[in-house]
Amino acid sequence: MAESQSQSQDKASGGKLYVVGIGPGSVEQLTLKARDVILNADYVLGNSTYLDQMESLLGTQEVIRSFMGKEVERARKAVELAKNANVVMVSGGDTNVYGMAGIVLEVAEHESLDVDIEILPGVTAVLAGASILGAPVVTDFAVISLSDLLTPWEVIEKRLNMAADADFVIGLYNPKSRKRKSNFARAIEIIRKYKADSVPVGLVKNAMRGEEEDQIVTTLGEVMEYEDWVDMSTAILIGNGESRIWKSPKKDIIITPRGYHKKYDY
């Protein structure tokens, strides 16, 4: 495929590193620019899971596969290659929201490397899940990962308390894994101290991944009935005090009013 003008210039000036958010995991959800830079890259690096999702775009590029836990090594390799080539580092969801943008920039800063780096956004799970559930996130919200691999649980617990006390809509990432089975239950216990049991909760598994996608709409008081259903591929959205469930003819939909009803008649 012919190179874009900007990428031809990148090669002439010594290469460039793109950190690309691939969104939920389907090619259809990529931005046009993300698709373009992947197609025209010399090297594409990433977690094998995410590279598999982009397989239809990979052919002429040299693909370097990596795995969870190898993020620092992956970032170093990408920065090094970008000195002389066009390189794409793929990141699931968005590059900033628990993505690869931070570690790539940290590595470049630490090694004082003069490499041109561009960060391309992608649809993150909380927004993909929200679109499936209806409109749970139309006002102030907080997103909290329940993984204590890099963040101490004491810090996570503090954030849960403060976000729930402020009545933010709350998105929960990484709720459960084989090694972390209790964090989801602990988080719900904290949030229930501040929010009513009637508050809507949406659970979305494999958001926007075709036939793998599934969803449940329930309430804070009943969400633990679905604890066994929740896993690492599940995004959780917990409404605020004004959120409600609309039992539409098609499906249950979560609506969080933004406040238009207070100013306008409709």
Side-chain angles (χ1 to χ4, degrees), residues 18 22 36 58 68 95 106 113 125 130 138 144 163 175 224 235 260:
Y18 297 89
I22 63 170
D36 177 60
L58 304 177
M68 188 174 295
T95 46
E106 284 187 85
L113 294 177
V138 297
I144 301 171
M224 291 308 297
Y260 289 105

Side-chain angles (χ1 to χ4, degrees), residues 20-24 29-31 91 93-97 120-125 127:
V20 178
I22 63 170
Q29 299 297 333
L30 288 172
T31 65
S91 181
D94 179 68
T95 46
N96 264 273
V97 184
L120 301 185
V123 178
T124 187
L127 300 181

Side-chain angles (χ1 to χ4, degrees), residues 164-198:
D165 187 30
D167 200 27
F168 282 104
V169 173
I170 299 175
L172 299 179
Y173 279 48
N174 305 314
K176 283 177 62 179
S177 70
R178 286 173 292 182
K179 294 182 179 180
R180 294 181 292 99
K181 296 182 179 180
S182 63
N183 288 11
F184 175 62
R186 294 162 73 186
I188 295 300
E189 182 180 0
I190 291 169
I191 294 168
R192 288 184 69 187
K193 295 177 182 178
Y194 305 94
K195 293 178 180 281
D197 281 352
S198 59

Side-chain angles (χ1 to χ4, degrees), residues 203-224:
L203 302 88
V204 181
K205 185 178 293 187
N206 296 312
M208 295 185 173
R209 292 182 182 172
E211 295 180 356
E212 299 176 41
E213 178 187 299
D214 203 357
Q215 64 173 302
I216 292 171
V217 173
T218 183
T219 63
L220 189 58
E222 297 179 353
V223 67
M224 291 308 297

Side-chain angles (χ1 to χ4, degrees), residues 62-77:
E62 183 169 338
V63 177
I64 301 175
R65 293 178 174 271
S66 183
F67 303 93
M68 188 174 295
K70 301 291 185 180
E71 290 82 5
V72 175
E73 295 175 21
R74 196 184 315 154
R76 285 176 177 156
K77 183 68 174 178

